[in-house]
Amino acid sequence: MKKQEEKEVKTKKSTKSKVSTKKVTKEEKLEVEEKVVGTNPLKKAFKIVKSIINFVVIVGVVLFVFIVCLQRFSNNRVSFFNYRLFTVVSGSMEPEYEIGDVLIAKEKDPATIKVGDTISYLGTIGQFNDKVITHRVVNIERDKDGKYLFHTKGDANLIEDPIVSQDKLYGVVIYKTIILSNIYRVVGTSIGMFVFVVLPILYIIGSEFISFLVEKEDERRKQYNAKKKAN
C-alpha cells in the first residue's frame, strides 16, 4: 500500500511539474512573439517610409502656403534677406518668362543695374498703377538729383513702360525656379488644390489617427498578456 501511495504521489508531482513547464513554455512563447513583433523589419520599414512621406507632404503643403501667402497677401512687397518671389501673370515677357513662372529677384544698388537686365518694380501710372511689373531695362538715365531713371519694356510689347524711378525698384531678376513654377501652376487650379493640398492634409490626419489606434491596440494586448502571465 505504501509503495502504491508513493507511486501516486510521484505521479501527481510529475504531472504538476509538466503542467508548470507547459505554462512557462507558453509564457516564453508570448514573450518571444512580442519581441519578434516589436523588432519586425517590415514594421520598421513601414514606419520609416511613412515618416518620409509625411515629411515630404508637410514640406510641400508648407511651401505652397508660403508661396500663396507671400504672393497674395503681401502683394510681393516682403523681402527675405534682400530676395523676393514674383509670379508672372501676363505674357509680356514671353518667350523668356511665361505665365505662371515664379521668379526670384534680388535687391541691388541701382548703380549696378545695366541695360538688358530684367527688373521688378512697382508701377505708379495708368494701367501699371499699384501693380508689380517685371520688364527688361532698355535705357538708363539720371535726373537732376542724380537718381537713376529706368526705361523698361516687355519683350513681347511694342511700347515702353512709363519711366521707373530707382525708389520704385524691387530688384533684379536673377533666377527662374522651375520647381516652384510647376507647383504654382498645378496648385493654382481647383483640382490641383484638392489633389495636392486637401488630400495630403487628409492623408496626414488619417494616418496619424490609424497609428494612434494601432498603438492603443498594442498597449491593450501587452496589458492582457501581462495579466495572463500574472494569473
Side-chain angles (χ1 to χ4, degrees):
M1 289 290 290
K2 286 184 178 180
K3 288 183 179 181
Q4 191 173 353
E5 287 176 358
E6 287 177 358
K7 284 183 179 180
E8 288 179 356
V9 170
K10 287 181 179 179
T11 305
K12 286 180 180 178
K13 285 183 178 179
S14 63
T15 304
K16 285 181 179 179
S17 63
K18 286 180 181 179
V19 171
S20 62
T21 304
K22 286 181 181 179
K23 284 184 179 178
V24 171
T25 306
K26 285 181 180 179
E27 289 173 358
E28 288 176 352
K29 283 183 178 180
L30 287 172
E31 288 179 359
V32 170
E33 285 176 2
E34 287 179 4
K35 288 178 181 179
V36 170
V37 170
T39 57
N40 190 341
L42 291 176
K43 194 173 182 180
K44 283 187 176 180
F46 174 76
K47 284 185 177 180
I48 293 172
V49 171
K50 179 175 171 291
S51 299
I52 293 173
I53 292 174
N54 285 349
F55 176 77
V56 172
V57 170
I58 291 171
V59 170
V61 172
V62 170
L63 186 61
F64 166 73
V65 172
F66 171 76
I67 293 172
V68 170
C69 291
L70 191 65
Q71 298 293 324
R72 296 185 180 180
F73 300 109
S74 71
N75 196 23
N76 299 302
R77 297 178 187 180
V78 177
S79 65
F80 293 90
F81 304 102
N82 297 325
Y83 289 91
R84 282 185 169 90
L85 288 176
F86 298 100
T87 303
V88 178
V89 295
S90 74
S92 62
M93 284 297 290
E94 290 181 347
E96 185 167 358
Y97 303 126
E98 299 178 349
I99 296 175
D101 283 345
V102 176
L103 310 177
I104 298 177
K106 182 179 181 180
E107 296 176 3
K108 287 189 176 183
D109 184 346
T112 64
I113 298 174
K114 58 185 182 299
V115 173
D117 287 342
T118 301
I119 62 173
S120 295
Y121 65 90
L122 179 65
T124 57
I125 299 175
Q127 62 179 349
F128 296 98
N129 187 42
D130 205 32
K131 293 180 180 179
V132 178
I133 312 298
T134 300
H135 283 168
R136 196 178 304 280
V137 176
V138 294
N139 193 20
I140 302 174
E141 297 178 354
R142 301 182 75 170
D143 63 14
K144 60 182 180 179
D145 297 324
K147 291 184 177 181
Y148 287 89
L149 302 174
F150 298 94
H151 295 255
T152 60
K153 185 175 77 71
D155 290 353
N157 293 349
L158 299 175
I159 303 173
E160 287 187 11
D161 309 336
I163 294 177
V164 182
S165 61
Q166 68 178 54
D167 58 337
K168 298 300 178 183
L169 290 177
Y170 281 146
V172 178
V173 175
I174 59 172
Y175 186 67
K176 178 178 78 171
T177 167
I178 297 175
I179 295 176
L180 294 184
S181 297
N182 291 332
I183 290 174
Y184 189 85
R185 286 193 182 95
V186 172
V187 298
T189 63
S190 56
I191 295 176
M193 172 73 76
F194 179 76
V195 173
F196 293 97
V197 177
V198 177
L199 283 184
I201 291 175
L202 293 177
Y203 162 77
I204 293 173
I205 295 173
S207 63
E208 291 300 322
F209 180 70
I210 292 172
S211 297
F212 173 77
L213 293 179
V214 170
E215 288 177 2
K216 285 293 182 183
E217 180 63 19
D218 288 342
E219 288 179 5
R220 189 190 68 79
R221 287 182 179 178
K222 287 178 181 179
Q223 290 175 359
Y224 173 77
N225 291 335
K227 288 181 181 178
K228 201 169 181 181
K229 287 178 186 179
N231 297 330

